[in-house]
Amino acid sequence: MSRSVLKAILLVLMRVLYRPVVEGVEHIPSGGAVILAGNHVTFIDSLFLSLVVDRQVYFIGKDEYVTGKGLKGRLMAWFFTTCGMIPVDRDGGHGGVAALMTGRRVLEEGKIFGIYPEGTRSPDGRLYRGRTGIARLALMTGAPVVPFAMIGTDKVQPGGTGMPRIAPVKVRFGTPLDFSRYDGMDRDRYVLRAVTDEVMSEVMHLGGQEYVDIYATKAKAA
């Protein structure tokens, strides 16, 4: 089954079951490289994001999603890669670099790359500090950043596990952010932090989440 056919089937099912409200999708350019940067509250976020955007969205996923054995493993691998997931070993010592380079390649090919700057799912529904990989991608490639907020997906799949439930879902996109004023400054840590914080501020306003100025991984460890 082709990617377009799978997307069409899933879109029909999603519309019937969830009736998602989508706002601001017109802010996504119809062509060229684009970074979609948003909050991450549950495992199913990437599926909803891929389905509400007309263009194919590519995103990073753990390689364990496509390395399973047997029929179930093959079906999972087919499903995730068809939905636009690019598997990367993020647990290794060079996982962050591999993810960054993968995103750069996608953008240099003029495609859409979806990223969750928090780096992991929120442990409690709040919005956590963004990691600066989003800023490096934007400054290295010159791609505009379109912020987005997933609203209600945590009710569809509480805790990020188990069978999805039926609940209202909204996906809200903001206006593109242009960081060309920082051209050539992708190694300046103060600039990277400023760009990242600006993106996260927009995501916060779109979704209405409470913001916590620590990394989500630290909150989970605590």
Side-chain angles (χ1 to χ4, degrees), residues 140-159:
M140 285 191 301
T141 64
V145 178
V146 175
F148 70 88
M150 310 296 297
I151 304 170
T153 53
D154 55 330
K155 303 298 189 298
V156 173
Q157 199 176 39

Side-chain angles (χ1 to χ4, degrees), residues 27-42:
H27 294 312
I28 301 175
S30 58
V34 183
I35 300 172
L36 299 182
N39 61 332
H40 195 17
V41 292
T42 191

Side-chain angles (χ1 to χ4, degrees), residues 161-214:
T161 59
M163 289 296 294
R165 305 174 182 177
I166 304 300
V169 171
K170 179 181 290 186
V171 186
R172 183 178 289 153
F173 297 94
T175 55
L177 303 175
D178 177 15
F179 295 109
S180 58
R181 62 189 182 277
Y182 297 122
D183 185 42
M185 304 175 71
D186 59 281
R187 294 186 180 276
D188 187 315
R189 63 190 182 96
Y190 296 105
V191 169
L192 294 177
R193 175 45 55 192
V195 169
T196 303
D197 288 348
E198 183 175 339
V199 172
M200 298 309 291
S201 177
E202 291 298 316
V203 173
M204 179 184 68
H205 289 302
L206 288 168
Q209 288 172 280
E210 177 186 349
Y211 180 74
V212 186
D213 195 23
I214 62 172

